[in-house]
Amino acid sequence: MSHRAAAPLLTPRGAKVLAFFALGTGFGIWGGAAPTVAARALIGPDLMGLAYSVFVIVYLCGMSGSGLIARFVSIRRMLLATLPATGVVLALLLLTGSPLGLFVGIALFGLMAGMVDLAINAEGTAVEADLSRPVLAGFHGSASLGVALAAILGSLLAVNVGPWSAAVATLILFSIGTAAVLSGSNDRGRLPQKSAGASRPRVTQVQLIL
């Protein structure tokens, strides 16, 4: 007796829209709640600027590192691991009350978000290729919408209720994004290995300046 496979709840395109949106809400919630968290951790503008510099540096390291990991683990599996982990790390960052906790938390947030960035864009590019029409810009638009809406939400929750409520909202939104990937993404395998004669990537002067 043959059994037909159950249809996925979401198309790959719909899954990516929600996943990009979830990642965007993470940046938005942090942007809206950051002043409240920084004030509770007794961090001034100078140290907060340094913390953001750490975030950017570790974010780029996360993107580079995830590219190496993707040679051994499928993009879908990496996304299913890093997307919820980013939500958990951000929730803990929102709950921090010390300078050390904020610096460690924002570094971990940058690391995980950078890994998600590469994985989610690789998946988005694959979906665009499958559909044979440009949809990646729409995915990025979904992320931007998530940033805008969640920045307002994060600020309102952090100021009027408390950072813990922003942390709860973060966990809910990232759970939705993870569920979307789980139900609507195909496992496309690992990134292709480079051939023996392929040139190795090098750090350019522009990258060093940035």
Side-chain angles (χ1 to χ4, degrees):
M1 180 177 180
S2 61
H3 296 274
R4 296 180 62 183
L9 297 176
L10 290 171
T11 64
R13 181 180 180 180
K16 295 306 170 299
V17 167
L18 289 177
F20 270 87
F21 181 80
L23 180 60
T25 62
F27 294 117
I29 286 180
W30 172 245
T36 302
V37 176
R40 189 177 62 181
L42 302 178
I43 288 185
D46 50 349
L47 286 179
M48 199 62 182
L50 178 59
Y52 277 121
S53 297
V54 171
F55 172 85
V56 172
I57 293 171
V58 179
Y59 189 98
L60 295 175
C61 292
M63 291 185 67
S64 300
S66 62
L68 297 175
I69 296 173
R71 305 292 179 184
F72 307 98
V73 180
S74 73
I75 293 294
R76 181 176 184 269
R77 289 185 178 181
M78 187 165 66
L79 192 54
L80 286 173
T82 55
L83 188 61
T86 303
V88 172
V89 167
L90 176 56
L92 294 175
L93 172 60
L94 291 166
L95 297 176
T96 190
S98 68
L100 178 60
L102 191 145
F103 269 84
V104 172
I106 203 169
L108 290 175
F109 178 39
L111 178 65
M112 300 310 302
M115 295 182 71
V116 172
D117 194 333
L118 182 136
I120 204 171
N121 276 285
E123 282 281 297
T125 301
V127 171
E128 185 175 70
D130 291 343
L131 296 175
S132 299
R133 63 177 186 272
V135 295
L136 195 58
F139 294 155
H140 291 150
S142 176
S144 298
L145 179 62
V147 172
L149 295 179
I152 300 172
L153 176 65
S155 179
L156 288 173
L157 290 176
V159 172
N160 297 304
V161 183
W164 66 267
S165 60
V168 172
T170 296
L171 294 176
I172 293 173
L173 290 166
F174 273 79
S175 295
I176 293 173
T178 303
V181 174
L182 186 62
S183 64
S185 292
N186 301 323
D187 195 334
R188 303 172 186 276
R190 299 172 292 177
L191 289 179
Q193 297 283 348
K194 290 191 175 183
S195 59
S199 60
R200 294 180 178 272
R202 293 180 297 176
V203 179
T204 65
Q205 292 180 352
V206 175
Q207 289 173 322
L208 288 174
I209 293 173
L210 290 174

